[in-house]
Amino acid sequence: MIFLNCLFGYLSVLIIIKWCTGSQADLYHVMIYMFLSPMDDLGENQLFPNQKTVQITFLFLALVSVPWMLLPKPFILKKQHEARHQGESYAQLDETDESLQVETNGGSHGHEEFEFSEIFVHQLIHTIEFVLGAVSNTASYLRLWALSLAHSELSSVFYEKVLLMAWGFNNIFILIVGILVFIFATVGVLLVMETLSAFLHALRLHWVEYQNKFYEGDGYKFAPFTFALVGNEDE
């Protein structure tokens, strides 16, 4: 939460401030040089007083949150494991057929060894995936911004090169043809194709970039209830 809010939550606040103030600040420049040159003056890209100090503080918190995500969890899990198995000791088992059969059927419930290196590497992988995924997944939402630009450019092209050009000929037949072409282009391209494209891109963003923040495909494979399995067990 600290990492996301100090970077992308701050960007969202900057967008709202820019809307409310009507500023011409370049937010891309603000976010890029927040990392590359945090000590430089913002100049015309300053949106509020003490913005430089706020950005340095957020950048520091974002950088600190990376080792914070990495280091504490393995040590906490190790401490919990030691507390859970404190006082336990290994006991010699009687290697009889009956005991081996019980262990095979019920599983081993003895003292499990804690692999600290494996837990640490697993947490390191998750930390790297989260940091890189937070940047790349958020940047992927720029595709919707690109679609809006393409939509506005297509609208201006159809309006200027079709409708206004047909209006300039002062010919009723050409004007009717131009209006029909403009209507079909507006409906077919801007309303149908552009809407379908925006829907598919938004659906893909929900499935890939947004859902992986909450869903992880681990665990047990789902086995639905069927009477066929019940019949096989009875046999």
Side-chain angles (χ1 to χ4, degrees):
M1 293 298 295
I2 294 175
F3 181 83
L4 288 177
N5 288 321
C6 287
L7 298 182
F8 305 109
Y10 173 64
L11 176 60
S12 302
V13 173
L14 288 182
I15 293 174
I16 296 175
I17 294 176
K18 184 177 179 179
W19 286 346
C20 296
T21 59
S23 173
Q24 298 299 320
D26 187 359
L27 297 186
Y28 292 110
H29 184 278
V30 172
M31 295 304 297
I32 290 174
Y33 284 92
M34 177 179 173
F35 291 91
L36 298 181
S37 302
M39 305 303 294
D40 292 348
D41 292 331
L42 297 174
E44 60 182 8
N45 292 320
Q46 184 167 346
L47 292 169
F48 57 89
N50 299 323
Q51 181 178 350
K52 177 181 174 181
T53 305
V54 172
Q55 291 186 173
I56 294 175
T57 304
F58 284 165
L59 182 61
F60 175 75
L61 292 176
L63 294 178
V64 169
S65 64
V66 175
W68 194 353
M69 286 186 286
L70 172 63
L71 297 177
K73 185 175 179 179
F75 291 98
I76 292 174
L77 292 177
K78 182 179 180 181
K79 198 71 175 178
Q80 291 177 349
H81 179 82
E82 293 175 353
R84 189 182 305 114
H85 298 283
Q86 188 176 8
E88 295 183 1
S89 61
Y90 294 99
Q92 184 176 0
L93 299 177
D94 296 332
E95 296 185 355
T96 60
D97 294 338
E98 183 178 357
S99 63
L100 291 176
Q101 183 69 25
V102 171
E103 183 179 357
T104 303
N105 294 334
S108 177
H109 300 285
H111 185 76
E112 299 178 358
E113 184 179 359
F114 183 82
E115 295 289 344
F116 180 80
S117 60
E118 181 179 352
I119 298 297
F120 186 84
V121 171
H122 187 265
Q123 186 66 19
L124 176 63
I125 293 173
H126 275 283
T127 303
I128 296 175
E129 286 182 348
F130 177 81
V131 174
L132 296 181
V135 177
S136 62
N137 293 346
T138 306
S140 293
Y141 278 83
L142 292 176
R143 70 181 69 239
L144 298 179
W145 170 72
L147 286 175
S148 67
L149 288 181
H151 184 86
S152 63
E153 290 298 322
L154 285 174
S155 301
S156 62
V157 167
F158 290 147
Y159 178 71
E160 295 174 1
K161 301 300 182 182
V162 177
L163 190 60
L164 293 184
M165 186 175 294
W167 185 272
F169 279 99
N170 294 324
N171 188 308
I172 188 63
F173 178 75
I174 296 178
L175 180 60
I176 293 174
V177 173
I179 292 175
L180 291 177
V181 172
F182 177 76
I183 291 174
F184 282 109
T186 301
V187 174
V189 177
L190 298 181
L191 296 182
V192 177
M193 292 181 59
E194 288 286 315
T195 303
L196 180 61
S197 177
F199 166 73
L200 293 177
H201 279 289
L203 187 65
R204 186 254 183 199
L205 288 169
H206 277 74
W207 181 259
V208 178
E209 277 79 11
Y210 185 72
Q211 184 173 264
N212 65 8
K213 299 294 186 297
F214 312 98
Y215 171 78
E216 187 173 353
D218 291 341
Y220 300 97
K221 183 179 179 181
F222 175 68
F225 174 79
T226 60
F227 288 100
L229 295 177
V230 177
N232 292 333
E233 292 177 358
D234 293 340
E235 293 177 358

